[in-house]
Amino acid sequence: MRRDHQRHRLFVQLQYDPPSSGEDDQAIRLIALERKCVTVHADLAPDRRIHAGGGQARALYSEAVRNMATRTKPEGGALAAVVERLVTDGVKEAGERQIAVEKVIDEKLAPIQEFVGGYDFATVLKAYWRGSETSNEDLKTAALRWLRGEFSTKTEANKSLGVRTIVDDDSVYDSLKSLACLTKVAGYAGLLVMFDEMVNIYKLQSAQARKLNFEQILRIVNDALQGNTSSIGFMMCGTPQFLMDTRRGLYSYEALQSRLAENQFATGGLVDLSGPVINLQSLTPEDLLVLLSNIRNVFAAGDPSKYLVPDEALPAFMHHCDRRIGEAYFRTPRTTVKAFVQLLSVLEQNPGARWQDLLGQVQVAADLHGQEEMVPEGGPQAGDGDELTSLRIGT
């Protein structure tokens, strides 16, 4: 197997059984939602990183929280529903116990105040409750903006909500832990945080910037492995170089390399899914044949009589790809699938075209995802060269 095309996951166990190594990110989110977890997810980018000093970490946090999902709101944007559930349950419990609603809210938010920055976090949640009680939509909106990390200055936050802090680059991880506590007190099982495209850390030209991001990842790993956090899980995804490259990958940071080293006994086809790193197996040619067949079925809306190409076209297309780019056509199927979809699109829109004639025109290039130019700290400019893998973490 060519390791430069293999996919990986770093997973420090959540409070439920880890999924099998073949599940994709969407499937993992669905499993988490079915187990009554709340999920947040975001892709890293040049302007979104785990650690930064120019707003990039806050941008990653904001994107992730905007994508918050629950079982009843799997499409995202579930933050308001989670907070509303906390408030509604508080009002209901206050009525049952015949005490003031504010007292119940204070009791529920007490665990959050134990976290760094948790006092202001709880203050903002109480502001949302007051806005709900008084039908003050502006106050509720301000509270949600603060929770999403959308306030850029402390002065604005103090004026709107009476708090002296905001979610900034330095407090992203602590804010995620407070958010996880919120999901727990609101009645959910916990929070699953999913970060993809970790290659953007690997591609940073600045060695210092990479080191600071690695240190933040180390902090998350240590908390998870040592049991210092609860109700929160992290899954981070990237390419093999991000994990194993000893020059600029995670293995270049000795403390991370020792913690993320694979089980030495998991060889010869044996796997260990309990460790922090899970290697996802590449597609086999048989898997890709099934995938292409399913794509053909989608184009035909499930009606075999409307198939745009016959069965023999599928292995013929795979053979064409094999001649063009070798075994990479099934190990990194991104470009192969894209080319097949484009072929079917042309056949669908041009009924007179023959797939045999078009096949020779299909240009399939090897997938270079994760091997692009390195990006310096402030954007594309000259610097020392470097590269990544897929990772996921949880508690």
Side-chain angles (χ1 to χ4, degrees):
M1 179 177 295
R2 288 166 52 181
R3 296 193 66 82
D4 59 320
H5 289 306
Q6 197 176 352
R7 294 275 291 170
H8 293 72
R9 291 289 187 273
L10 167 62
F11 181 75
V12 181
Q13 276 188 323
L14 225 95
Q15 292 184 336
Y16 54 80
D17 295 336
S20 71
S21 60
E23 310 244 33
D24 63 11
D25 298 349
Q26 178 62 25
I28 293 170
R29 283 202 295 271
L30 291 175
I31 291 172
L33 296 178
E34 283 301 312
R35 307 219 176 186
K36 299 182 180 179
C37 288
V38 177
T39 68
V40 297
H41 67 275
D43 291 349
L44 272 71
D47 61 341
R48 292 199 295 265
R49 299 203 295 274
I50 293 178
H51 183 281
Q56 297 94 333
R58 183 166 65 89
L60 178 68
Y61 171 89
S62 296
E63 178 67 15
V65 178
R66 278 195 292 269
N67 292 327
M68 179 180 284
T70 62
R71 185 163 55 175
T72 57
K73 203 172 177 61
E75 71 281 0
L79 177 62
V82 172
V83 178
E84 197 65 48
R85 176 170 173 173
L86 170 69
V87 171
T88 302
D89 288 349
V91 172
K92 180 180 178 182
E93 184 177 336
E96 292 173 348
R97 295 168 57 187
Q98 296 185 343
I99 60 175
V101 176
E102 185 169 3
K103 179 176 177 58
V104 175
I105 297 293
D106 283 336
E107 290 176 357
K108 287 181 172 290
L109 297 182
I112 296 178
Q113 298 185 43
E114 298 177 3
F115 292 95
V116 175
Y119 180 82
D120 280 348
F121 205 93
T123 300
V124 169
L125 290 170
K126 287 180 65 176
Y128 183 94
W129 164 71
R130 290 197 305 274
S132 181
E133 288 284 291
T134 59
S135 300
N136 187 337
E137 293 300 322
D138 289 341
L139 188 56
K140 292 170 62 177
T141 300
L144 293 177
R145 283 186 58 215
W146 191 95
L147 293 171
R148 287 194 295 261
E150 294 176 358
F151 278 102
S152 57
T153 66
K154 297 177 181 179
T155 301
E156 183 185 9
N158 190 23
K159 181 179 178 181
S160 301
L161 297 164
V163 293
R164 298 181 180 274
T165 64
I166 59 173
V167 178
D168 56 19
D169 286 339
D170 294 331
S171 63
V172 164
Y173 178 44
D174 292 316
S175 297
L176 286 172
K177 290 193 289 187
S178 295
L179 202 61
C181 188
L182 164 63
T183 64
K184 190 70 175 179
V185 299
Y188 296 92
L191 180 71
L192 175 62
V193 182
M194 304 179 70
F195 292 147
D196 203 351
E197 300 295 341
M198 297 295 290
V199 68
N200 284 281
I201 295 177
Y202 176 81
K203 292 191 294 183
L204 288 171
Q205 290 283 18
S206 169
Q208 181 64 15
R210 290 197 305 273
K211 179 183 177 182
L212 291 173
N213 276 270
F214 291 162
E215 287 177 349
Q216 189 72 309
I217 293 173
L218 177 63
R219 181 185 173 197
I220 295 172
V221 172
N222 282 340
D223 281 352
L225 295 179
Q226 295 169 10
N228 294 334
T229 59
S230 62
S231 307
I232 188 170
F234 286 82
M235 188 181 85
M236 302 182 187
C237 312
T239 58
Q241 291 87 353
F242 171 67
L243 178 66
M244 298 179 182
D245 191 308
T246 55
R247 278 196 319 120
R248 56 191 306 156
L250 289 182
Y251 279 11
S252 68
Y253 199 83
E254 186 176 347
L256 279 172
Q257 182 176 5
S258 63
R259 287 161 176 77
L260 304 181
E262 298 182 52
N263 190 331
Q264 299 180 20
F265 295 98
T267 59
L270 301 177
V271 297
D272 175 17
L273 301 182
S274 66
V277 175
I278 296 178
N279 300 324
L280 299 187
Q281 300 301 313
S282 300
L283 292 179
T284 65
E286 293 75 18
D287 293 330
L288 185 59
L289 181 62
V290 172
L291 177 58
L292 297 182
S293 178
N294 289 338
I295 294 173
R296 179 184 65 168
N297 197 43
V298 170
F299 267 82
D303 185 354
S305 66
K306 295 181 180 179
Y307 283 165
L308 295 170
V309 293
D311 290 344
E312 59 265 26
L314 304 183
F317 178 83
M318 292 172 62
H319 179 67
H320 170 78
C321 295
D322 188 25
R323 285 190 291 110
R324 292 280 183 175
I325 59 175
E327 66 173 4
Y329 83 92
F330 66 86
R331 298 202 187 281
T332 55
R334 180 195 309 264
T335 52
T336 305
V337 168
K338 180 180 178 180
F340 187 65
V341 169
Q342 291 174 338
L343 173 66
L344 295 183
S345 296
V346 170
L347 292 172
E348 183 179 48
Q349 298 172 57
N350 301 271
R354 298 176 68 249
W355 67 268
Q356 297 92 334
D357 298 332
L358 292 173
L359 193 56
Q361 304 174 25
V362 176
Q363 300 296 321
V364 184
D367 188 357
L368 300 178
H369 181 65
Q371 302 178 33
E372 306 87 342
E373 283 188 29
M374 304 306 134
V375 179
E377 175 71 343
Q381 34 182 284
D384 64 279
D386 292 346
E387 305 165 61
L388 163 75
T389 289
S390 197
L391 160 142
R392 84 179 195 197
I393 308 177
T395 307

